[in-house]
Amino acid sequence: MPIKTIEYKNGKLKIIDQRKLPCKLVYRNLSSVNDIKGAIKTLAVRGAPAIGVAAAYGVYIGIDNLRIKGKKIFFRKLNVLIRHIETARPTAINLFWALERMRKVAVKNREKPISAIKRLLFNEAGKIQREDEIMCEKIGRFGARLINDKDRILTHCNAGALATAGSGTALSAIYAAKKQGKKIKVYADETRPLLQGARLTTWELMREGIDVTLICDSMAATLMKKAMIDKIIVGADRIAANGDFANKIGTYNLALLSMVHKIPFYCFAPSSSFDFSIKNGESIPIEQRDPDEVRKIKDFFCAPKKVKVYNPAFDVTPHELVTAFITEKGVFRKPYMRSLKSLKGSKS
Ligand code: MRU
């Protein structure tokens, strides 16, 4: 059973502090909106779906902590809270999608007493969490159909249980395939600069008894050239209407390599990661992060302290390079402009 990354318990949001992995499994209980926003910003909680779930609870906890009498002030405070959480990270659409769901529930029930609106906000956050769990299960089941016995699979960053409220997106397919008795070998890119692959994916997969081998990002081409990889699987932070998608920096490199080496390249994501308001990947906002993340590995400088750094946290993979998208609604193939359209209406 994949590890539980995020849950609401006794008025607090209990998360695994992913900054501490793999050295220590530390849980943190977040009891304020600032705690939750801080956890998202610093990647204590990370991965697009988990960010969405955390943000939803952030709205509830934030508003529940306030003692407000008038409706007008309640809605003003709610908007301020939502705008506050929105600025935590810009790329994963799940953050904005979850916040919008929370806002809509409150607005739709504006005639009800404040206590009732608070209860509805709590219920909505729980719904977002449970839906994510179910979406992960379904994605896993669809994904497992694409995985053969003895496949050697390369993955990037962490698109597992640690990135969601359930069993993960890309890694959920590995878990489902394992349940079917398939023997799979996974190669995990270390994923510089923050090493989500090395720290999180290897830890998570080893815990689940999956055969995993860690490689440096720069080794992927060599493995492909040596015919050591059958499939590449990744997650997504935001997918545009045409199928261009943002994911952890380095994903685009793998997509390009997959084309040269003729290896299927699959993107796994729940419908909450699609952004049909943007036509293509050019409009996806890409987060720029602290230069010290590149200058340092953990607490040690591996570069001169004052060297200039360029640190985009995500890149955009053009849809042409994607063999298929695997979502909770099924497997979507080219032409994406047409096939993905059916997801548009079903997005809650
Ligand atoms: O910066 P992170 O660690 O939040 O980036 C996470 C990723 O890029 C994941 O691949 C993506 O969110 C999909 S998670 C199911």
Side-chain angles (χ1 to χ4, degrees):
M1 175 86 166
I3 198 154
K4 196 128 210 71
T5 296
I6 188 160
E7 67 187 312
Y8 182 84
K9 249 189 171 167
N10 309 325
K12 295 188 175 125
L13 189 64
K14 184 178 172 196
I15 59 150
I16 294 178
D17 187 341
Q18 300 193 30
R19 298 166 302 183
K20 307 279 185 219
L21 288 172
C23 303
K24 280 189 214 148
L25 177 57
V26 176
Y27 287 90
R28 280 182 65 205
N29 292 305
L30 311 175
S31 57
S32 73
V33 64
N34 283 334
D35 278 359
I36 294 174
K37 181 183 172 181
I40 296 173
K41 217 175 157 64
T42 58
L43 272 58
V45 61
R46 49 147 298 282
I51 290 172
V53 173
Y57 278 113
V59 173
Y60 168 68
I61 289 174
I63 207 76
D64 195 46
N65 283 348
L66 299 175
R67 299 282 153 252
I68 309 166
K69 291 245 163 64
K71 232 15 131 40
K72 218 168 157 188
I73 302 176
F74 177 85
F75 277 96
R76 202 182 310 140
K77 293 270 185 205
L78 183 71
N79 282 331
V80 170
L81 257 174
I82 289 174
R83 279 203 301 271
H84 179 59
I85 303 173
E86 252 174 19
T87 58
R89 296 188 76 186
T91 304
I93 185 69
N94 308 62
L95 172 70
F96 306 92
W97 166 84
L99 292 173
E100 186 52 19
R101 273 185 62 166
M102 297 297 279
R103 197 188 61 79
K104 270 191 185 151
V105 160
V107 169
K108 202 172 137 204
N109 293 284
R110 69 164 81 73
E111 303 310 331
K112 298 197 167 118
I114 288 176
S115 58
I117 303 174
K118 282 186 176 178
R119 177 83 357 224
L120 288 164
L121 285 169
F122 175 68
N123 292 347
E124 190 67 9
K127 233 171 119 189
I128 291 172
Q129 176 181 358
R130 282 188 299 279
E131 282 173 21
D132 190 56
E133 281 173 43
I134 295 165
M135 285 196 273
C136 288
E137 276 296 312
K138 290 187 176 167
I139 291 171
R141 259 184 267 140
F142 282 118
R145 294 187 195 163
L146 302 169
I147 295 176
N148 298 321
D149 189 28
K150 302 207 173 63
D151 263 355
R152 295 149 311 163
I153 298 176
L154 176 63
T155 190
H156 192 66
C157 194
N158 173 268
L162 289 169
T164 66
S167 52
T169 57
L171 298 191
S172 178
I174 306 259
Y175 300 139
K178 187 191 175 214
K179 263 195 202 148
Q180 295 170 349
K182 294 173 188 166
K183 288 223 166 358
I184 297 141
K185 186 171 178 60
V186 177
Y187 287 95
D189 266 356
E190 64 177 353
T191 319
R192 270 285 282 155
L194 293 181
L195 302 169
Q196 287 92 334
R199 295 187 301 107
L200 309 176
T201 295
T202 58
W203 181 83
E204 181 179 327
L205 290 176
M206 285 171 78
R207 222 180 143 266
E208 294 305 313
I210 306 277
D211 175 1
V212 58
T213 303
L214 175 64
I215 62 165
C216 297
D217 300 333
S218 50
M219 295 168 187
T222 293
L223 268 76
M224 292 187 214
K225 173 98 175 150
K226 286 177 179 279
M228 289 166 70
I229 303 293
D230 301 303
K231 266 148 214 164
I232 300 166
I233 62 168
V234 295
D237 281 77
R238 192 186 294 228
I239 305 163
N242 71 342
D244 294 351
F245 75 98
N247 192 47
K248 182 53 57 196
I249 192 79
T251 302
Y252 177 39
N253 302 33
L254 294 184
L256 287 169
L257 289 170
S258 77
M259 178 181 67
V260 175
H261 295 93
K262 302 194 172 30
I263 297 168
F265 180 88
Y266 295 116
C267 176
F268 291 71
S271 52
S272 50
S273 297
F274 285 78
D275 183 355
F276 291 103
S277 75
I278 56 172
K279 277 204 211 116
N280 58 50
E282 272 171 41
S283 325
I284 300 178
I286 300 294
E287 178 181 16
Q288 293 286 334
R289 292 188 62 89
D290 184 347
D292 271 356
E293 291 180 353
V294 178
R295 294 187 191 114
K296 287 175 161 180
I297 294 183
K298 281 273 169 203
D299 296 329
F300 297 100
F301 277 96
C302 56
K305 283 185 181 166
K306 289 198 173 147
V307 69
K308 283 190 276 181
V309 164
Y310 180 56
N311 186 19
F314 302 94
D315 57 24
V316 175
T317 298
H319 62 277
E320 295 90 342
L321 300 177
V322 183
T323 309
F325 286 95
I326 297 88
T327 78
E328 80 278 12
K329 310 269 185 218
V331 178
F332 294 81
R333 294 185 187 268
K334 289 174 193 148
Y336 295 123
M337 214 45 184
R338 179 139 34 98
S339 66
L340 294 177
K341 248 190 196 146
S342 64
L343 265 182
K344 196 174 172 180
S346 62
K347 197 178 165 185
S348 31

PDB file of all heavy atoms in Angstrom, residues 192 292-303 305:
ATOM      1  N   ARG A 192      18.089  16.700 -10.825  1.00  0.00           N
ATOM      2  CA  ARG A 192      18.688  17.934 -10.300  1.00  0.00           C
ATOM      3  C   ARG A 192      17.802  19.101 -10.706  1.00  0.00           C
ATOM      4  O   ARG A 192      17.168  19.046 -11.740  1.00  0.00           O
ATOM      5  CB  ARG A 192      20.090  18.109 -10.919  1.00  0.00           C
ATOM      6  CG  ARG A 192      21.215  17.481 -10.136  1.00  0.00           C
ATOM      7  CD  ARG A 192      21.596  18.248  -8.872  1.00  0.00           C
ATOM      8  NE  ARG A 192      22.419  19.431  -9.163  1.00  0.00           N
ATOM      9  CZ  ARG A 192      22.481  20.489  -8.365  1.00  0.00           C
ATOM     10  NH1 ARG A 192      21.777  20.533  -7.237  1.00  0.00           N
ATOM     11  NH2 ARG A 192      23.238  21.509  -8.681  1.00  0.00           N
ATOM     12  N   ASP A 292      20.358  29.309  -5.216  1.00  0.00           N
ATOM     13  CA  ASP A 292      21.124  28.424  -4.323  1.00  0.00           C
ATOM     14  C   ASP A 292      20.724  26.949  -4.484  1.00  0.00           C
ATOM     15  O   ASP A 292      21.498  26.061  -4.130  1.00  0.00           O
ATOM     16  CB  ASP A 292      20.956  28.847  -2.853  1.00  0.00           C
ATOM     17  CG  ASP A 292      22.010  29.871  -2.452  1.00  0.00           C
ATOM     18  OD1 ASP A 292      22.900  30.178  -3.287  1.00  0.00           O
ATOM     19  OD2 ASP A 292      21.939  30.375  -1.310  1.00  0.00           O
ATOM     20  N   GLU A 293      19.534  26.701  -5.032  1.00  0.00           N
ATOM     21  CA  GLU A 293      19.149  25.299  -5.258  1.00  0.00           C
ATOM     22  C   GLU A 293      20.097  24.641  -6.264  1.00  0.00           C
ATOM     23  O   GLU A 293      20.304  23.435  -6.232  1.00  0.00           O
ATOM     24  CB  GLU A 293      17.706  25.218  -5.790  1.00  0.00           C
ATOM     25  CG  GLU A 293      16.667  25.599  -4.756  1.00  0.00           C
ATOM     26  CD  GLU A 293      15.233  25.523  -5.277  1.00  0.00           C
ATOM     27  OE1 GLU A 293      15.046  25.306  -6.494  1.00  0.00           O
ATOM     28  OE2 GLU A 293      14.311  25.703  -4.462  1.00  0.00           O
ATOM     29  N   VAL A 294      20.654  25.459  -7.162  1.00  0.00           N
ATOM     30  CA  VAL A 294      21.583  24.921  -8.166  1.00  0.00           C
ATOM     31  C   VAL A 294      23.021  24.993  -7.639  1.00  0.00           C
ATOM     32  O   VAL A 294      23.828  24.085  -7.881  1.00  0.00           O
ATOM     33  CB  VAL A 294      21.438  25.681  -9.502  1.00  0.00           C
ATOM     34  CG1 VAL A 294      22.427  25.174 -10.537  1.00  0.00           C
ATOM     35  CG2 VAL A 294      20.017  25.547 -10.023  1.00  0.00           C
ATOM     36  N   ARG A 295      23.308  26.061  -6.917  1.00  0.00           N
ATOM     37  CA  ARG A 295      24.684  26.206  -6.391  1.00  0.00           C
ATOM     38  C   ARG A 295      25.006  25.157  -5.338  1.00  0.00           C
ATOM     39  O   ARG A 295      26.160  24.832  -5.123  1.00  0.00           O
ATOM     40  CB  ARG A 295      24.860  27.595  -5.756  1.00  0.00           C
ATOM     41  CG  ARG A 295      24.785  28.743  -6.727  1.00  0.00           C
ATOM     42  CD  ARG A 295      25.144  30.036  -6.008  1.00  0.00           C
ATOM     43  NE  ARG A 295      24.839  31.184  -6.826  1.00  0.00           N
ATOM     44  CZ  ARG A 295      23.912  32.088  -6.526  1.00  0.00           C
ATOM     45  NH1 ARG A 295      23.186  31.987  -5.418  1.00  0.00           N
ATOM     46  NH2 ARG A 295      23.706  33.111  -7.330  1.00  0.00           N
ATOM     47  N   LYS A 296      23.924  24.674  -4.668  1.00  0.00           N
ATOM     48  CA  LYS A 296      24.155  23.751  -3.553  1.00  0.00           C
ATOM     49  C   LYS A 296      23.575  22.370  -3.827  1.00  0.00           C
ATOM     50  O   LYS A 296      22.611  22.236  -4.578  1.00  0.00           O
ATOM     51  CB  LYS A 296      23.433  24.278  -2.304  1.00  0.00           C
ATOM     52  CG  LYS A 296      24.055  25.483  -1.650  1.00  0.00           C
ATOM     53  CD  LYS A 296      23.105  25.893  -0.542  1.00  0.00           C
ATOM     54  CE  LYS A 296      23.738  26.760   0.496  1.00  0.00           C
ATOM     55  NZ  LYS A 296      22.758  27.120   1.537  1.00  0.00           N
ATOM     56  N   ILE A 297      24.151  21.371  -3.184  1.00  0.00           N
ATOM     57  CA  ILE A 297      23.483  20.075  -3.074  1.00  0.00           C
ATOM     58  C   ILE A 297      23.268  19.885  -1.577  1.00  0.00           C
ATOM     59  O   ILE A 297      24.238  19.855  -0.817  1.00  0.00           O
ATOM     60  CB  ILE A 297      24.302  18.927  -3.680  1.00  0.00           C
ATOM     61  CG1 ILE A 297      24.408  19.132  -5.191  1.00  0.00           C
ATOM     62  CG2 ILE A 297      23.650  17.574  -3.350  1.00  0.00           C
ATOM     63  CD1 ILE A 297      25.118  18.056  -5.957  1.00  0.00           C
ATOM     64  N   LYS A 298      22.014  19.822  -1.186  1.00  0.00           N
ATOM     65  CA  LYS A 298      21.661  19.881   0.243  1.00  0.00           C
ATOM     66  C   LYS A 298      22.289  21.141   0.837  1.00  0.00           C
ATOM     67  O   LYS A 298      22.078  22.207   0.305  1.00  0.00           O
ATOM     68  CB  LYS A 298      22.080  18.593   0.960  1.00  0.00           C
ATOM     69  CG  LYS A 298      21.094  17.476   0.709  1.00  0.00           C
ATOM     70  CD  LYS A 298      19.981  17.538   1.739  1.00  0.00           C
ATOM     71  CE  LYS A 298      18.813  16.668   1.455  1.00  0.00           C
ATOM     72  NZ  LYS A 298      17.614  17.137   2.115  1.00  0.00           N
ATOM     73  N   ASP A 299      23.136  21.003   1.866  1.00  0.00           N
ATOM     74  CA  ASP A 299      23.655  22.224   2.482  1.00  0.00           C
ATOM     75  C   ASP A 299      25.047  22.612   1.977  1.00  0.00           C
ATOM     76  O   ASP A 299      25.643  23.561   2.482  1.00  0.00           O
ATOM     77  CB  ASP A 299      23.681  22.051   4.011  1.00  0.00           C
ATOM     78  CG  ASP A 299      22.272  21.881   4.536  1.00  0.00           C
ATOM     79  OD1 ASP A 299      21.350  22.450   3.920  1.00  0.00           O
ATOM     80  OD2 ASP A 299      22.088  21.148   5.529  1.00  0.00           O
ATOM     81  N   PHE A 300      25.556  21.875   1.004  1.00  0.00           N
ATOM     82  CA  PHE A 300      26.933  22.124   0.570  1.00  0.00           C
ATOM     83  C   PHE A 300      26.997  22.829  -0.776  1.00  0.00           C
ATOM     84  O   PHE A 300      26.322  22.428  -1.731  1.00  0.00           O
ATOM     85  CB  PHE A 300      27.708  20.806   0.505  1.00  0.00           C
ATOM     86  CG  PHE A 300      27.827  20.166   1.850  1.00  0.00           C
ATOM     87  CD1 PHE A 300      26.977  19.123   2.208  1.00  0.00           C
ATOM     88  CD2 PHE A 300      28.747  20.621   2.787  1.00  0.00           C
ATOM     89  CE1 PHE A 300      27.046  18.546   3.463  1.00  0.00           C
ATOM     90  CE2 PHE A 300      28.831  20.048   4.043  1.00  0.00           C
ATOM     91  CZ  PHE A 300      27.976  19.009   4.388  1.00  0.00           C
ATOM     92  N   PHE A 301      27.821  23.858  -0.844  1.00  0.00           N
ATOM     93  CA  PHE A 301      28.012  24.538  -2.126  1.00  0.00           C
ATOM     94  C   PHE A 301      28.813  23.633  -3.059  1.00  0.00           C
ATOM     95  O   PHE A 301      29.875  23.142  -2.701  1.00  0.00           O
ATOM     96  CB  PHE A 301      28.760  25.864  -1.911  1.00  0.00           C
ATOM     97  CG  PHE A 301      27.830  26.965  -1.493  1.00  0.00           C
ATOM     98  CD1 PHE A 301      27.660  27.287  -0.160  1.00  0.00           C
ATOM     99  CD2 PHE A 301      27.091  27.661  -2.451  1.00  0.00           C
ATOM    100  CE1 PHE A 301      26.772  28.287   0.223  1.00  0.00           C
ATOM    101  CE2 PHE A 301      26.200  28.658  -2.077  1.00  0.00           C
ATOM    102  CZ  PHE A 301      26.046  28.980  -0.732  1.00  0.00           C
ATOM    103  N   CYS A 302      28.288  23.432  -4.274  1.00  0.00           N
ATOM    104  CA  CYS A 302      29.023  22.654  -5.261  1.00  0.00           C
ATOM    105  C   CYS A 302      29.426  23.593  -6.397  1.00  0.00           C
ATOM    106  O   CYS A 302      29.824  23.156  -7.469  1.00  0.00           O
ATOM    107  CB  CYS A 302      28.180  21.493  -5.784  1.00  0.00           C
ATOM    108  SG  CYS A 302      26.608  21.997  -6.464  1.00  0.00           S
ATOM    109  N   ALA A 303      29.282  24.893  -6.164  1.00  0.00           N
ATOM    110  CA  ALA A 303      29.635  25.909  -7.159  1.00  0.00           C
ATOM    111  C   ALA A 303      30.052  27.167  -6.391  1.00  0.00           C
ATOM    112  O   ALA A 303      29.705  27.306  -5.211  1.00  0.00           O
ATOM    113  CB  ALA A 303      28.425  26.208  -8.034  1.00  0.00           C
ATOM    114  N   LYS A 305      29.929  30.566  -4.641  1.00  0.00           N
ATOM    115  CA  LYS A 305      28.743  31.134  -3.988  1.00  0.00           C
ATOM    116  C   LYS A 305      28.076  32.240  -4.791  1.00  0.00           C
ATOM    117  O   LYS A 305      26.889  32.500  -4.644  1.00  0.00           O
ATOM    118  CB  LYS A 305      29.121  31.686  -2.609  1.00  0.00           C
ATOM    119  CG  LYS A 305      29.290  30.602  -1.586  1.00  0.00           C
ATOM    120  CD  LYS A 305      29.540  31.164  -0.206  1.00  0.00           C
ATOM    121  CE  LYS A 305      29.727  29.991   0.740  1.00  0.00           C
ATOM    122  NZ  LYS A 305      30.281  30.344   2.023  1.00  0.00           N
TER     123      LYS A 305
END
